[in-house]
Amino acid sequence: MQVFTNIPAAEETAAIRAEQVRSLYANTPTAVVGNALVALIFSAMQWNIVAPSAVIAWLILLMVALVARMLLFVAHRRAAQGNDSVWLQRFRISIAAIGLVWGLASLLMFPSHDLTHQVFLTFALGGMTSAAITTLSSDRMSLLAFSLPALATVIVRLLLEGTEIQTTMSAMIALFLLLTDMVAQRTYRTLCENVILRISVARREQELRSLVDSSPDNIIRYGLDCRAVYVNRMMEQTVDVKSESLIGKTPMESRFDGCIGVENYQAKLERVIATGEPGHVEVMVLSPDGDQRIHHVRFVAERGSDGEIIGAFAFGRDISEQKQAYEAVRRSETKFHTLYDMTGDAIMLLDEKGLFDCNKSALTVFGCATPGEFYSKYPADLSPPEQACGTDSVMLAARRIVTAIEKGTHQFEWMHKRADTGESFPADVLLSAMELDGKTVLQAVVRDISGRKQAEADLRIAAIALESLEAIAITDANQVILKVNQAFTRITGYTAEEAVGQTPGRLLKSGRQDARFYRSMWESLNRNKCWQGEILNRRKNGEVYPQWLSIIAATIEGKQVTHYVATFSDISQKKQAEETIHNLAFYDPLTNLPNRRLMQDRLQQALASSARSHNHGAILFIDLDNFKELNDTKGHHIGDLLLVEIAARMQACLRENDTVSRLGGDEFLVILCELSAVAEEAAVQAEAVAEKIRAAINQPFDLQGHEYHSSSSIGISLFLNHELTVDELLKRSDTAMYQAKRSGRNAIRFFDPATHAAMEARIALEAELRRALPENQFKLYYQMQVNNLGAVFGAEALLRWLHPERGMVSPAQFIPLAEDTGLIVPIGLWVLETACRQLKAWESDPGLSCLHLAVNVSACQFHQADFVDQVSTLLTEIAIDPDKLKLELTETLVLGDIDDTIFKMQALKKIGVRFSIDDFGTGYSSLAYLTQLPLDQLKIDQSFVRNVAVKPTDAVIVQTIIGMATNLGIEVIAEGVETEEQRTFLESNGCFTYQGFLFGKPVPVEEFESALNVKIAAKLST
């Protein structure tokens, strides 16, 4: 195809001849080799048929002809492009010579009378002719030049043989020769048509290439492998690279300096070839003059006649100027929109239909979220119904619009309204008329002047504020007073006329602060342009007073000071109030002694002093004995008098550096500092002071005509360095004070570690006891109660504490603690409820349903106001027989408040509850209350039962109790029965119910029921 790309249309014949020559010479080597091989085979076959000399002579002639043809082929290949007619003529001559040599074979090597070899000869010549048709069909003359000489001789020789078959063979050869000519003609015609078509295509390609080369776009044609197969002239000029450097390469392989975006370019190209979908990309290309140019490249897939993708075209155009123009427009628009949107004024456009454009500030000023929301508003929606002057907003707006259209612009103040909150605000409006798209529109520039209006109001307020309660003085940069207010005159005593022209330092300075104070004040003022603090100044009458002063420097751009503004107030009353508050915070208002807070601070200082000097110190915890009785009998005002007198006496007993404080109530604490470095000597010194205080308190007091004698219990704890914290020291002295109380009061005791440890243990046990009930650590044990026949008729419920770490805690250890802390009330209620539920559970068991259950009730629990209601509610909710429940009370409980006890016992007796006096005989046993109380049972204390066999007095007491109860009709039960001898004694003296280890220990309910079932089974078996 490349041969015809530059052929003019006028030379079609020459082009056909050139194609003929190209085709004929191209087949020469193949034809020569074929001729030589066939000749050799033919010679070998004819060697024995004809004379060998004839064969050799013919073979030599043929080889010479073939060599001549090859030389002609080589000469054609080496020759420059010349006259194709000459080369065609030479080729025809060489072919004719070879044809003559093959025809000569029919003369020299025709085997007469040998039909077989005649057929072979005919076959060989026909084969050669057929081969010639293939290689020479593009030129009819060449084909005939070979075929006629080669076949004519054999046709003649076959005719001369005269046989029918040979004549037929000659006719067939002649017919073959005719067909060969026809094939040559058709081949030549086809050749001519193809050449003409290719010339036409070449012309079209040349026209297209001219069109492409003249295109202002850069055009590259790519194959399926993304390699360039064509590059137009504009592309060469654009990148200043010859097409030969680009053709056959991918974009990445042919990338050149200054080209940016080639990776994306090739990726887009590969995608277009893979999918067939168009694509585009922008790349930066370095022009020949060194400028960076922006090219927009569009990719289009190239498809074959079958619709399959065979490559792609890349169309690139320099869009640098377009980009620059677009960027300039964009920058201009951005600048306009920035100014339009970033201005603080609201800008809006409106026509006869309403609002149709606005900037961002308009949305902010009028409280709209989106432009659409703003455009949906009528102008009347953005104003209150009436303006500040009282005129209707719509009517007044119409007049403003007419004025703006007539004059072109109109500026005025207007009250607008926010769309979101409905809040009105003042605005400065500039209304301008303009032409837009052939119609008149209005542009409104709205500036919210709320701040300005507020500033104006602030100025008015400032003028009023200048006459505020605080004094104000304004000076120039040289501190000369320019203006003062009325408060200045009221506080200082100086009138405005007296103050103006003076300096504050000369007029008001008290002389109480030194030069360093003022130097520091002015350094701060010069550095920070403000100062405030407390200062002492002098009034006109000479009185020095404290004032709180604030000074602000007014400057130009934060540099040059123009004025000073000083505001101050008289804080004399405030200082007095602070002093009062300080006294209330740190001193006892009654005795004027340091309170607990100040005492802790003084004690912390004493510890620090001890650490520095290595001397001991001591604290004395003083508690007045029986002070409550004085308050209760004489009144609190007499008690307060006593506290004041005692405070004065204790202060008289101390050194100047010692401290006495009142902790509260009748408790005082004394801190002794700088005692001896030797502990024993320090203890003696502390005890001497304590004795002095105790003696002073023991002296009689005259309390409004009443003579009163007081005493105190004093606890002492020494300290050294920081060995103990403040809290630990207070705790130790408190412990020592309680030791003095327990020793009989009016005593002095030093801290005892053993007692302290016991108190710590008690506190720890109390904390654990408070968790015992919520954490279900309590459990009821049951001890059998039997009669003289050995039958079990009931049990006593006994509380046990199963501690998760301590194990079983003795009731003697925790019951008193529970009573002291009041925890016995909820614990007792739990015991009572658990016992009732156990009675309910036994009701369903025939062997256990007859049992009675005794429950101990503490005095604290019994004397609760709602105790009767609690018991009654439990009996009702759990639904048990009240007769089965027996409450055991102690003598102490009964005698504490006999009337309350009788009332509650009778109330519970009415609903069926039974009562027993526990530990009878151990307290103050009164026969009188026995006759008043609705008792059902007396329980003889185990301390008497234990010794009935060995101690006659205990035996007499037991006999007396039994006899007395029997005479009163009260049942008797003895507890602590451990031996048969004790049981026999009790039975012989009329006591027939017992409880003790002889019959069973207190055990959990499961063991109790199991033991009882064993007794029942044993009884049934007997």
Side-chain angles (χ1 to χ4, degrees):
M1 180 177 179
Q2 290 296 326
V3 178
F4 299 97
T5 54
N6 297 314
I7 295 178
E11 298 184 4
E12 290 182 358
T13 302
I16 294 172
R17 185 175 297 112
E19 179 63 15
Q20 284 180 310
V21 171
R22 186 196 65 77
S23 176
L24 292 173
Y25 276 95
N27 293 326
T28 295
T30 304
V32 169
V33 173
N35 274 267
L37 289 175
V38 173
L40 291 173
I41 295 172
F42 177 71
S43 298
M45 291 298 297
Q46 300 296 99
W47 183 266
N48 295 320
I49 304 303
V50 297
S53 58
V55 174
I56 293 172
W58 177 82
L59 188 59
I60 292 172
L61 286 175
L62 182 63
M63 291 303 172
V64 171
L66 292 176
V67 169
R69 185 177 176 183
M70 280 301 298
L71 291 175
L72 181 63
F73 168 76
V74 172
H76 178 266
R77 289 289 297 273
R78 292 181 177 179
Q81 188 171 358
N83 192 338
D84 289 330
S85 297
V86 174
W87 287 107
L88 180 61
Q89 200 65 31
R90 292 172 182 172
F91 183 82
R92 290 174 178 173
I93 292 172
S94 66
I95 286 298
I98 294 173
L100 286 173
V101 173
W102 278 104
L104 187 60
S106 301
L107 295 175
L108 297 177
M109 291 181 288
F110 187 83
S112 301
H113 313 295
D114 190 340
L115 183 59
T116 301
H117 282 79
Q118 290 176 8
V119 171
F120 175 75
L121 176 62
T122 303
F123 176 77
L125 292 174
M128 290 302 300
T129 303
S130 297
I133 293 173
T134 302
T135 58
L136 304 175
S137 60
S138 61
D139 182 31
R140 180 187 177 199
M141 292 300 296
S142 296
L143 180 61
L144 292 177
F146 177 82
S147 301
L148 285 176
L151 295 179
T153 306
V154 73
I155 292 172
V156 172
R157 290 298 302 267
L158 289 173
L159 288 174
L160 293 176
E161 288 294 319
T163 64
E164 182 178 356
I165 189 170
Q166 291 166 330
T167 301
T168 302
M169 288 175 61
S170 64
M172 291 180 65
I173 293 173
L175 181 60
F176 175 73
L177 187 59
L178 181 60
L179 291 173
T180 299
D181 182 55
M182 294 173 64
V183 168
Q185 291 183 38
R186 182 174 295 276
T187 302
Y188 179 75
R189 189 162 50 248
T190 302
L191 174 66
C192 291
E193 292 174 354
N194 289 340
V195 170
I196 292 171
L197 179 62
R198 289 162 66 185
I199 290 173
S200 176
V201 170
R203 286 174 182 163
R204 295 296 300 275
E205 283 192 1
Q206 187 173 359
E207 293 173 357
L208 180 60
R209 181 167 299 170
S210 298
L211 180 63
V212 169
D213 284 342
S214 62
S215 171
D217 293 342
N218 305 318
I219 303 175
I220 305 177
R221 180 185 180 191
Y222 290 98
L224 290 174
D225 56 357
C226 297
R227 297 185 181 276
V229 297
Y230 171 74
V231 177
N232 75 339
R233 187 176 295 108
M234 180 57 69
M235 181 65 189
E236 294 178 347
Q237 295 173 0
T238 298
V239 299
D240 195 22
V241 176
K242 294 297 182 181
S243 61
E244 292 79 3
S245 301
L246 302 177
I247 292 175
K249 297 180 181 179
T250 66
M252 290 297 294
E253 292 173 349
S254 61
R255 65 184 302 171
F256 33 82
D257 294 340
C259 187
I260 302 173
V262 179
E263 297 83 354
N264 194 26
Y265 180 100
Q266 177 151 339
K268 291 284 187 179
L269 174 62
E270 292 172 351
R271 182 177 178 183
V272 170
I273 293 176
T275 64
E277 297 179 358
H280 62 86
V281 69
E282 288 187 3
V283 295
M284 297 289 292
V285 178
L286 189 67
S287 66
D289 57 5
D291 293 336
Q292 284 282 358
R293 311 292 292 179
I294 304 173
H295 285 253
H296 179 271
V297 182
R298 183 169 58 91
F299 297 102
V300 179
E302 180 185 5
R303 299 182 183 271
S305 59
D306 56 356
E308 295 293 325
I309 297 173
I310 60 174
F313 284 99
F315 301 94
R317 176 168 294 183
D318 188 344
I319 60 171
S320 302
E321 285 75 14
Q322 179 183 346
K323 278 279 189 179
Q324 291 170 359
Y326 171 78
E327 186 64 24
V329 172
R330 188 189 65 79
R331 284 197 299 268
S332 177
E333 289 181 352
T334 301
K335 186 184 298 183
F336 169 75
H337 282 291
T338 300
L339 294 173
Y340 186 65
D341 285 333
M342 296 306 293
T343 179
D345 296 338
I347 303 175
M348 64 195 85
L349 297 177
L350 64 157
D351 55 16
E352 69 278 359
K353 296 180 181 179
L355 300 164
F356 64 88
D357 193 14
C358 70
N359 65 352
K360 291 182 179 178
S361 294
L363 303 180
T364 304
V365 169
F366 288 101
C368 293
T370 62
E373 180 186 354
F374 184 73
Y375 302 151
S376 66
K377 304 293 183 183
Y378 289 102
D381 296 336
L382 303 178
S383 300
E386 292 184 352
Q387 289 298 303
C389 60
T391 306
D392 181 78
S393 293
V394 175
M395 294 177 59
L396 187 58
R399 294 202 295 267
R400 302 288 194 214
I401 291 173
V402 170
T403 303
I405 294 174
E406 291 176 351
K407 295 183 176 180
T409 60
H410 183 39
Q411 188 169 2
F412 52 91
E413 286 190 7
W414 190 261
M415 287 300 297
H416 272 295
K417 182 179 70 174
R418 289 181 61 88
D420 52 354
T421 63
E423 178 184 357
S424 297
F425 62 92
D428 191 0
V429 179
L430 176 63
L431 198 60
S432 304
M434 62 181 67
E435 290 292 324
L436 184 65
D437 296 333
K439 62 180 181 180
T440 300
V441 299
L442 293 173
Q443 174 185 275
V445 180
V446 179
R447 175 173 296 174
D448 185 349
I449 58 174
S450 301
R452 191 183 79 192
K453 292 291 186 181
Q454 184 62 46
E456 293 172 355
D458 290 344
L459 287 175
R460 291 193 297 271
I461 294 171
I464 298 172
L466 186 61
E467 301 303 328
S468 66
L469 294 178
E470 282 197 344
I472 300 175
I474 301 174
T475 75
D476 61 13
N478 297 319
Q479 305 169 40
V480 176
I481 298 175
L482 303 177
K483 187 176 181 60
V484 297
N485 65 351
Q486 291 295 325
F488 179 92
T489 300
R490 176 173 47 80
I491 294 175
T492 65
Y494 292 101
T495 65
E497 292 76 10
E498 293 172 326
V500 172
Q502 301 289 331
T503 63
R506 185 182 310 116
L507 192 67
L508 304 174
K509 193 172 183 181
S510 67
R512 298 288 182 88
Q513 276 100 4
D514 56 15
R516 185 172 56 184
F517 171 83
Y518 289 102
R519 185 168 56 252
S520 174
M521 180 185 76
W522 280 104
E523 286 176 355
S524 175
L525 187 57
N526 292 331
R527 181 176 59 254
N528 303 321
K529 301 300 182 283
C530 64
W531 180 89
Q532 65 175 357
E534 186 177 318
I535 190 171
L536 292 173
N537 272 337
R538 189 183 302 276
R539 305 187 207 272
K540 183 179 179 181
N541 61 10
E543 177 189 353
V544 176
Y545 67 100
Q547 66 175 213
W548 183 260
L549 173 63
S550 296
I551 305 176
I552 298 175
T555 62
I556 298 176
E557 297 181 353
K559 296 180 180 178
Q560 182 181 353
V561 176
T562 60
H563 297 83
Y564 293 102
V565 179
T567 61
F568 60 88
S569 58
D570 184 349
I571 59 173
S572 302
Q573 294 181 351
K574 179 183 176 183
K575 297 291 285 185
Q576 293 172 0
E578 288 177 352
E579 185 176 354
T580 302
I581 292 171
H582 179 271
N583 288 335
L584 291 174
F586 295 102
Y587 290 88
D588 175 44
L590 178 64
T591 63
N592 206 30
L593 293 177
N595 61 9
R596 180 182 292 272
R597 179 183 296 178
L598 184 55
M599 175 275 298
Q600 289 180 330
D601 180 67
R602 296 273 181 89
L603 182 54
Q604 196 70 52
Q605 295 178 22
L607 289 172
S609 176
S610 175
R612 290 191 300 270
S613 65
H614 303 291
N615 289 332
H616 284 82
I619 58 175
L620 280 58
F621 200 114
I622 304 166
D623 183 88
L624 303 183
D625 299 331
N626 303 316
F627 178 73
K628 184 176 182 299
E629 295 178 1
L630 176 65
N631 271 339
D632 293 342
T633 56
K634 301 297 183 180
H636 286 280
H637 66 290
I638 297 297
D640 290 346
L641 287 176
L642 177 64
L643 294 175
V644 172
E645 289 293 332
I646 288 178
R649 292 186 184 186
M650 284 195 292
Q651 284 180 305
C653 297
L654 300 177
R655 299 170 299 177
E656 184 178 351
N657 61 338
D658 295 331
T659 299
V660 57
S661 63
R662 183 185 176 208
L663 302 183
D666 60 346
E667 293 180 342
F668 296 86
L669 190 87
V670 173
I671 303 173
L672 302 178
C673 301
E674 298 299 325
L675 299 180
S676 174
V678 181
E680 292 78 5
E681 294 178 0
V684 172
Q685 293 170 341
E687 186 176 16
V689 175
E691 284 289 356
K692 188 177 180 180
I693 293 173
R694 188 171 69 90
I697 294 174
N698 286 344
Q699 296 297 316
F701 293 89
D702 181 6
L703 304 177
Q704 291 186 351
H706 300 283
E707 184 176 307
Y708 179 75
H709 292 269
S710 181
S711 64
S712 61
S713 299
I714 304 176
I716 305 174
S717 177
L718 297 178
F719 61 83
L720 179 65
N721 299 328
H722 288 286
E723 295 174 350
L724 300 172
T725 65
V726 169
D727 290 338
E728 289 171 338
L729 274 173
L730 294 175
K731 190 183 298 182
R732 287 191 169 193
S733 60
D734 187 41
T735 302
M737 185 273 294
Y738 276 106
Q739 290 174 348
K741 287 278 188 188
R742 284 194 292 271
S743 69
R745 294 186 171 86
N746 195 24
I748 299 171
R749 291 290 183 272
F750 279 86
F751 168 72
D752 180 15
T755 304
H756 180 69
M759 293 185 68
E760 291 286 346
R762 176 186 171 89
I763 292 172
L765 186 65
E766 179 185 342
E768 294 173 351
L769 183 61
R770 292 185 183 277
R771 296 193 299 269
L773 187 58
E775 294 178 4
N776 298 318
Q777 296 177 10
F778 289 123
K779 192 170 185 180
L780 288 186
Y781 277 40
Y782 300 86
Q783 188 173 30
M784 294 180 181
Q785 293 179 340
V786 302
N787 59 22
N788 58 327
L789 300 177
V792 179
F793 66 87
E796 181 181 4
L798 300 168
L799 180 63
R800 295 293 184 266
W801 181 10
L802 301 179
H803 193 280
E805 297 177 359
R806 296 172 182 260
M808 183 73 75
V809 181
S810 171
Q813 189 177 358
F814 75 85
I815 292 295
L817 180 59
E819 291 179 341
D820 291 345
T821 58
L823 292 173
I824 195 65
V825 175
I827 294 174
L829 182 59
W830 176 86
V831 171
L832 189 59
E833 181 180 355
T834 305
C836 290
R837 295 192 183 279
Q838 189 59 59
L839 283 172
K840 185 65 177 178
W842 284 341
E843 285 182 1
S844 59
D845 189 332
L848 304 174
S849 60
C850 61
L851 294 178
H852 292 253
L853 195 54
V855 178
N856 292 285
V857 178
S858 73
C860 183
Q861 181 183 5
F862 184 82
H863 288 303
Q864 294 293 309
D866 59 347
F867 177 73
V868 175
D869 293 334
Q870 288 179 353
V871 177
S872 178
T873 300
L874 284 174
L875 293 174
T876 302
E877 289 180 354
I878 302 175
I880 61 170
D881 181 5
D883 186 61
K884 296 288 195 301
L885 179 64
K886 180 167 54 180
L887 302 182
E888 292 192 358
L889 311 177
T890 64
E891 289 184 82
T892 306
L893 183 155
V894 171
L895 296 176
D897 187 347
I898 189 65
D899 293 332
D900 180 63
T901 301
I902 293 173
F903 173 78
K904 290 180 178 178
M905 289 179 67
Q906 288 177 345
L908 292 172
K909 191 69 175 178
K910 288 179 182 179
I911 61 177
V913 178
R914 303 174 72 231
F915 287 95
S916 174
I917 294 296
D918 192 17
D919 301 335
F920 187 77
T922 58
Y924 175 76
S925 300
S926 172
L927 298 179
Y929 80 78
L930 289 178
T931 61
Q932 299 177 41
L933 299 176
L935 294 172
D936 298 284
Q937 187 184 72
L938 292 180
K939 179 178 282 190
I940 304 173
D941 188 68
Q942 61 180 342
S943 61
F944 300 125
V945 175
R946 185 182 302 114
N947 298 319
V948 293
V950 295
K951 194 173 181 182
T953 55
D954 287 353
V956 171
I957 292 173
V958 170
Q959 290 170 343
T960 302
I961 293 172
I962 294 172
M964 180 179 58
T966 301
N967 293 331
L968 293 174
I970 301 175
E971 177 188 338
V972 181
I973 184 171
E975 66 175 353
V977 180
E978 299 179 354
T979 65
E980 184 62 33
E981 183 180 6
Q982 294 169 351
R983 191 201 67 78
T984 301
F985 174 84
L986 291 168
E987 183 179 11
S988 63
N989 284 280
C991 179
F992 304 111
T993 54
Y994 322 104
Q995 178 183 340
F997 284 7
L998 179 62
F999 311 102
K1001 296 180 179 181
V1003 292
V1005 66
E1006 297 82 8
E1007 295 183 28
F1008 176 81
E1009 292 174 350
S1010 177
L1012 188 57
N1013 289 331
V1014 170
K1015 286 181 177 292
I1016 294 172
K1019 185 175 181 181
L1020 292 175
S1021 64
T1022 56

